[in-house]
């Protein structure tokens, strides 16, 4: 594998004694490694040993002028192509989940745009504690990857889950994260968020979509080396790193942006919640109450919006097109009919009647339906993990087709 720049962060757990071995194994895999420590981690692993192995200053103190002079914490965060936290204590994971920057490691973890891989290590009860589990859930939802912890005899005398994974497993997981430039050369067009259909100058018809699923897909596609264009409807989300974003409001604007970008796209993913109808004649000014007969109320005539996904599918060519389906009730049969009707290659079906999946939450549970009637159930996972599974499937479909 190509040499990559890895920042290895050790925190103060007894498993830190394995960190020099981890450094060596990462170096043997061809990577350039730098180390950083939490303030007390050097009680468990020698700073001098890590400095000798890496040939670079081991950063530990956010406010030390000589350390900051050599490589300041923001440059260190930018330098890394992957950050590994091993061992990751319950305390450091809690700090990461809450965005604390009270020490050098916390600041670097907030500042970095690199993927983060954590190898937790702690007492089994600390691991099982609802606070730790809630922090892990938050971090997973933000795309942090975990390796371990394993089950076995723990340094504290207890038996159970809490052992840091072996350095060889951590190196293998890092390889997976770094090696996947699997969408290099592809151009991915993603739509995300809800549309807003104007009624008048201030009012719209919109829906509950947050855009999280589409943004997670755009982020993951960019991480895999694709050029990504994200056509974003209404959403409060930040643009993922390396992604070109076009903001739109109405379904008609979304259609125009998609059609403009379509010629360059090799993969199209339509995660947006597009309004099916729009007011036929939106008022340019604000509709005033006194202009209406208040007893009668107001009747809006809605007309049908263009079906962007169907239009894209009608000119699909060699592209791989992924649609989404928001369904309640009998999800799979309804979604299979939608797949047929729209003509896409893959349909991701959500059950919108669940509280923990679909609109405006961080998790999703979906069915992946492909042409030919194949149905795969993906259990409740973070939207980032669901995005990975969707893109894994797209890659598989494209490689099978090119064979
Ligand atoms: N879609 C679209 N243009 C529309 C409506 C939907 O491109 N005018 C796309 C969505 O982005 C999604 C898929 O079509 O990828 C299915 O959307 P969904 O709302 O589930 O289905 P509809 O086609 O609107 O059908 P229905 O509302 O009857 O379920």
């Amino acid at each position: 594998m190509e040499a990559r720049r890895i920042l290895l962060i050790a925190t103060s757990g007894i498993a830190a004694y394995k960190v020099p071995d981890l450094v060596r194994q990462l170096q043997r895999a061809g990577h350039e490694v730098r180390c950083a420590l939490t303030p007390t981690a050097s009680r468990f692993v020698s700073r001098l040993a890590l400095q000798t192995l890496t040939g670079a200053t081991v950063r530990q103190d956010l406010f030390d002028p000589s350390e900051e002079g050599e490589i300041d914490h923001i440059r260190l965060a930018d330098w890394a192509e992957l950050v590994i936290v091993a061992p990751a204590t319950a305390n450091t994971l809690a700090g990461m989940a809450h965005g604390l920057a009270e020490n050098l490691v916390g600041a670097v973890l907030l500042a970095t745009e690199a993927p983060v891989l954590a190898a937790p290590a702690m007492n089994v009860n600390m691991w099982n504690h609802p606070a730790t589990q809630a922090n892990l859930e938050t971090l997973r939802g933000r795309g942090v990857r975990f390796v371990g912890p394993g089950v076995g005899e723990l340094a504290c005398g207890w038996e159970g889950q809490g052992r840091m994974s072996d350095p060889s497993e951590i190196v293998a997981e890092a390889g997976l994260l770094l090696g996947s430039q699997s969408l290099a050369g592809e151009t991915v067009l993603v739509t995300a968020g809800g549309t807003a259909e104007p009624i008048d100058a201030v009012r719209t018809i919109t829906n509950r979509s947050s855009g999280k699923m589409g943004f997670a897909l755009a982020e993951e596609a960019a991480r895999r080396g694709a050029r990504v264009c994200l056509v974003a409807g209404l959403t409060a989300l930040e643009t993922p790193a390396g992604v070109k974003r076009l903001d739109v409001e109405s379904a008609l604007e979304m259609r125009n942006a998609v059609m403009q970008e379509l010629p360059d796209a090799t993969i199209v993913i339509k995660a947006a919640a597009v309004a099916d109808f729009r007011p036929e004649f939106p008022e340019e000014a604000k509709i005033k109450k006194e202009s209406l007969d208040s007893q009668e109320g107001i009747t809006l005539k809605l007309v049908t919006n263009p079906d962007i996904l169907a239009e894209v599918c009608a000119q699909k060519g060699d592209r791989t097109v992924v649609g989404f389906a928001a369904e309640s009730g009998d999800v799979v049969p309804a979604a299979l009919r939608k797949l047929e009707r729209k003509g896409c290659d893959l349909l991701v079906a959500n059950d919108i009647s669940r509280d923990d999946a679909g609109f405006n939450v961080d998790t999703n549970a979906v069915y992946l339906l492909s042409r030919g009637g194949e149905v795969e159930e993906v259990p409740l996972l973070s939207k980032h993990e669901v995005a990975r599974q969707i893109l894994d499937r797209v890659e598989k479909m494209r490689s099978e087709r090119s064979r």
Side-chain angles (χ1 to χ4, degrees), residues 142-262:
R142 287 190 202 136
V144 173
R145 294 287 276 251
F146 289 91
V147 49
V151 177
E153 200 184 318
L154 305 177
C156 54
W158 283 73
E159 286 258 338
Q161 194 171 9
R163 286 171 66 87
M164 185 174 92
S165 295
D166 282 337
S168 59
E169 289 171 63
I170 300 173
V171 174
E173 195 63 33
L176 281 182
L177 269 174
L178 284 169
S180 58
Q181 289 291 295
S182 45
L183 285 176
E186 303 281 12
T187 301
V188 182
L189 173 57
V190 182
T191 69
T195 63
E197 308 301 321
I199 297 171
D200 66 11
V202 293
R203 302 177 179 98
T204 61
I205 299 176
T206 185
N207 58 58
R208 293 180 200 280
S209 170
S210 63
K212 286 178 180 166
M213 192 65 244
F215 273 59
L217 280 157
E219 182 177 346
E220 181 62 21
R223 190 173 285 165
R224 293 181 185 203
R227 270 188 305 275
V228 182
C229 175
L230 175 61
V231 177
L234 290 197
T235 169
L237 300 174
E238 298 274 321
T239 313
V243 167
K244 170 176 132 183
R245 172 174 178 165
L246 301 176
D247 284 307
V248 296
E249 285 192 4
S250 65
L252 290 177
E253 284 174 21
M254 183 170 279
R255 183 214 161 261
N256 292 344
V258 167
M259 290 306 150
Q260 176 197 306
E261 295 297 322
L262 189 62

Side-chain angles (χ1 to χ4, degrees), residues 270 272 274-276 306-309 323-326 338 341-342:
K270 288 234 59 254
V274 185
D276 290 324
D307 187 325
I308 311 169
L309 178 59
F324 274 70
K338 199 170 276 181
R341 197 169 72 235
K342 305 250 182 182

